[in-house]
Amino acid sequence: MTDAGRELVLGLGVGGAGSAGREERGRRDLEVAAAAMRCGSSPEPSMRLALLPMAPTLGFPWPSENRHLEASTRGFDVNRAPSCGASAWGAYSAAGADDEQEDAGAAGAAVSSSPNDSGGSFPMDFSAHGERGPSDAAQGGGSRGSDEDDGGSARKKLRLSKEQAAFLEESFKEHSTLNPRQKVALAKQLNLRPRQVEVWFQNRRARTKLKQTEVDCEYLKRCCETLTEENRRLQKELAELRALKTVHPFYMNLPATTLSMCPSCERVASTSAPAANSSAAASAATPNAGGSIAAATAAPPERRPSSFAALFSSARGFPMAAQPETQAPSS
DNA sequence: ACCCCGCACGGAGTTACATCA
DNA sequence: GATGATGTAACTCCGTGCGGG
């Protein structure tokens, strides 16, 4: 998602050309998609869901204050045999990363496979794990591996505990993507397999995008309604002008400068109307000249943007452009 | 410098399972 | 208890970027 903010908040060394590129690509895709959904030139701030708070408000304990969570994560294990040494989490030291010895497959591969991994930028206070599930070492490295090494059925649905989900959620608020090291660290802390963490983040990103898409759809729907209303109004206005012409045909013979244009046309009556405008008005005034919709949509294209801009310029309310009632020229 | 290959990753779509009404 | 709806973990496929040969 769009997050300069997130980048700031993150500051996790997710940086590096590689992952930055990848993240950028992901963001770009999302934003392009979202932008495509949004009303084009609208300067209005997009209706973004606050799905990724810029700043953690729940005190997600990345640095050191996660000890209370450590306690809470200690019996997490609903899916696997509990790891016994959970209490021995040591500070996750980037430089050290000594705890990665066991996960040579995981962290080692992660580190080597991730040119972007800025080495231990993951600020979580991971305690050195005592020991891990037997499958972890094997699983960790093969981040794309399936669960077959779980010993059980290949596709046993495992429900994450509330604590695990909450922790992952908080982590996701911090950064919606993980580098391999972060993934492994999170997996350790939650006593999950790195693959599970990876899948959870993938699914979570998908859900976020889905929700954002729904919001964008709602926004577009409202844009459409507004435009429909605007169209109705313009047609009515046109009909009134035609009627006016029928009743007072001499108006059409007056110099353009003396014509009082409809205020919603955003035209200054004193300026001489361009020929195009006059011709447009004339053509519109012509009986059966292209029908009402054609006439209405035949407005000079260069004027549409301002109209649209006015249409969508105010926030959230999608108010119509200021539209004083069409005043029939008196006298 | 260019191309090819393997690898890792993420997104999109789908499947399978757990939960709930 | 059976059933359909819903949520979501896990999977597959595909595209992309990167590093190495």
Side-chain angles (χ1 to χ4, degrees):
Chain A
M1 313 294 267
T2 152
D3 318 316
R6 195 187 81 212
E7 300 261 354
L8 285 177
V9 170
L10 289 184
L12 291 172
V14 181
S19 89
R22 257 186 231 110
E23 262 205 327
E24 176 56 26
R25 180 165 59 91
R27 264 200 303 276
R28 199 175 53 237
D29 290 346
L30 279 183
E31 290 187 351
V32 164
M37 304 284 294
R38 268 177 254 132
C39 281
S41 61
S42 169
E44 172 182 357
S46 58
M47 299 182 61
R48 308 301 275 182
L49 279 174
L51 298 171
L52 286 175
M54 288 304 134
T57 55
L58 298 179
F60 185 66
W62 287 113
S64 59
E65 64 264 32
N66 67 334
R67 288 180 174 70
H68 65 285
L69 269 178
E70 175 199 332
S72 70
T73 59
R74 229 169 265 171
F76 262 175
D77 204 355
V78 293
N79 302 325
R80 303 174 19 199
S83 71
C84 35
S87 63
W89 299 98
Y92 183 86
S93 139
D98 45 356
D99 53 343
E100 299 302 280
Q101 294 290 352
E102 273 185 41
D103 311 320
V111 168
S112 66
S113 70
S114 176
N116 44 356
D117 185 20
S118 60
S121 51
F122 198 45
M124 282 185 78
D125 180 28
F126 291 107
S127 321
H129 58 289
E131 72 181 77
R132 309 177 50 209
S135 66
D136 281 343
Q139 249 291 332
S143 66
R144 310 283 287 190
S146 65
D147 290 338
E148 290 171 5
D149 54 357
D150 224 5
S153 58
R155 190 157 174 159
K156 175 75 176 168
K157 180 116 176 179
L158 303 174
R159 206 74 179 185
L160 299 180
S161 72
K162 280 185 178 178
E163 290 84 359
Q164 284 172 318
F167 199 90
L168 286 168
E169 194 67 39
E170 289 304 308
S171 175
F172 184 80
K173 287 177 182 175
E174 287 285 323
H175 31 74
S176 60
T177 57
L178 297 174
N179 65 32
R181 186 181 293 274
Q182 290 172 325
K183 181 171 63 183
V184 170
L186 249 185
K188 274 187 193 173
Q189 177 137 2
L190 295 178
N191 208 9
L192 297 170
R193 291 184 302 277
R195 172 64 181 163
Q196 285 179 289
V197 173
E198 177 183 330
V199 166
W200 188 92
F201 268 75
Q202 282 178 0
N203 288 323
R204 184 63 178 78
R205 283 191 294 269
R207 286 195 292 272
T208 297
K209 185 172 184 178
L210 183 64
K211 281 186 178 170
Q212 183 60 53
T213 299
E214 288 172 359
V215 168
D216 288 339
C217 279
E218 191 59 31
Y219 182 86
L220 277 181
K221 226 188 289 180
R222 293 171 67 179
C223 284
C224 183
E225 288 169 4
T226 302
L227 283 174
T228 302
E229 179 63 25
E230 168 80 347
N231 188 38
R232 244 197 306 273
R233 189 184 62 77
L234 287 173
Q235 290 191 41
K236 182 182 171 189
E237 197 175 297
L238 181 63
E240 287 173 0
L241 287 174
R242 280 179 174 161
L244 187 67
K245 179 206 168 191
T246 307
V247 175
H248 304 288
F250 65 90
Y251 275 125
M252 294 307 174
N253 297 327
L254 292 176
T257 52
T258 64
L259 286 177
S260 174
M261 299 295 288
C262 169
S264 67
C265 293
E266 301 166 13
R267 285 280 170 178
V268 179
S270 61
T271 61
S272 59
N277 219 18
S278 302
S279 66
S283 73
T286 307
N288 299 329
S292 57
I293 295 180
T297 56
E302 64 271 21
R303 291 190 47 237
R304 299 300 293 174
S306 68
S307 176
F308 284 169
L311 203 56
F312 301 115
S313 60
S314 37
R316 302 290 144 88
F318 313 103
M320 309 290 293
Q323 41 179 306
E325 267 312 307
T326 302
Q327 296 176 353
S330 58
S331 154

